[in-house]
């Protein structure tokens, strides 16, 4: 693990290193930092204004049968993480559409649910423009995503009317699946 990653990132940017130039394997620095939980350095890159935050890439998802998500954004990647720091920083930049879809028609909210990232789910729900009633391919909603991730088999009678109802029920499903 890289110690003082924030200081190292700041130093490199101050000394002319391009924070948006891929390495010889085509890996972009911000993507690498997010994937490896180097939050402080990632935030330095995001705040630098020198990174194309609208970049699309392939997100490898080893935990799922569909193992990659083409045309994913940094929001998708950050939504998969346990911590909400990077997702919060990206949302604060207001550059990427919160409801953007990857090639699998998954939004950052769907990714947060798939990875059971409760803090990121709550953060996304706090945003006014979140489409929490979105259905993947017009038939698979976020409640069904949450149930499939934790193998939730109860058929609860639902009366979800508000955004808060949806959030509360999704958290209930994920937490029920921990046991």
């Amino acid at each position: 693990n890289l110690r003082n990653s924030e200081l190292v990132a700041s130093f490199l940017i101050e000394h002319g290193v391009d924070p948006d130039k891929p390495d010889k394997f085509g890996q972009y620095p911000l993507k690498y930092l997010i994937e490896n939980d180097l939050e402080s350095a990632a935030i330095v890159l995001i705040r630098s204004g020198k990174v194309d935050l609208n970049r699309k890439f392939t997100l490898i998802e080893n935990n799922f049968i569909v193992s990659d998500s083409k045309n994913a954004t940094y929001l998708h990647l950050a939504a998969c993480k346990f911590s909400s720091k990077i997702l919060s920083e990206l949302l604060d930049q207001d550059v990427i559409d919160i409801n953007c879809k990857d090639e699998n028609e998954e939004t950052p909210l769907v990714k947060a649910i798939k990875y059971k990232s409760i803090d990121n789910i709550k953060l996304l729900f706090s945003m006014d423009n979140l489409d929490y009633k979105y259905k993947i391919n017009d038939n698979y909603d976020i409640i069904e995503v949450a149930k499939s991730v934790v193998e939730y088999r109860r058929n609860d009678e639902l009366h979800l009317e508000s955004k808060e109802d949806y959030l509360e029920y999704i958290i209930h499903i994920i937490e029920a699946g921990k046991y």
Side-chain angles (χ1 to χ4, degrees), residues 45-138:
L45 266 61
I46 293 165
R47 290 180 180 169
S48 75
K50 297 179 179 184
V51 174
D52 178 6
L53 297 177
N54 286 304
R55 176 167 287 107
K56 303 226 175 175
F57 47 83
T58 299
L59 173 61
I60 305 300
E61 296 187 83
N62 296 324
N63 301 348
F64 301 98
I65 293 170
V66 177
S67 62
D68 63 358
S69 299
K70 294 181 179 168
N71 290 321
T73 66
Y74 289 117
L75 276 184
H76 288 95
L77 179 56
C80 297
K81 305 309 282 181
F82 180 73
S83 170
S84 62
K85 290 178 184 174
I86 295 172
L87 182 61
S88 178
E89 188 65 36
L90 287 167
L91 290 170
D92 287 347
Q93 298 294 317
D94 197 25
V95 174
I96 309 167
D97 177 12
I98 192 173
N99 301 303
C100 60
K101 298 173 191 98
D102 64 14
E103 190 175 78
N104 299 326
E105 296 296 310
E106 293 181 345
T107 64
L109 177 60
V110 171
K111 297 294 188 199
I113 292 169
K114 284 175 64 176
Y115 282 84
K116 301 179 241 177
S117 181
I118 291 175
D119 287 344
N120 283 334
I121 294 166
K122 289 178 180 177
L123 176 60
L124 290 163
F125 264 85
S126 75
M127 305 301 290
D128 292 336
N129 53 346
L130 177 70
D131 181 6
Y132 61 94
K133 292 184 178 180
Y134 169 71
K135 292 186 176 192
I136 301 171
N137 297 318
D138 295 322

Side-chain angles (χ1 to χ4, degrees), residues 138-149:
D138 295 322
N139 62 15
Y140 198 57
D141 69 18
I142 61 172
I143 300 297
E144 293 168 293
V145 171
K147 286 181 175 183
S148 70
V149 168

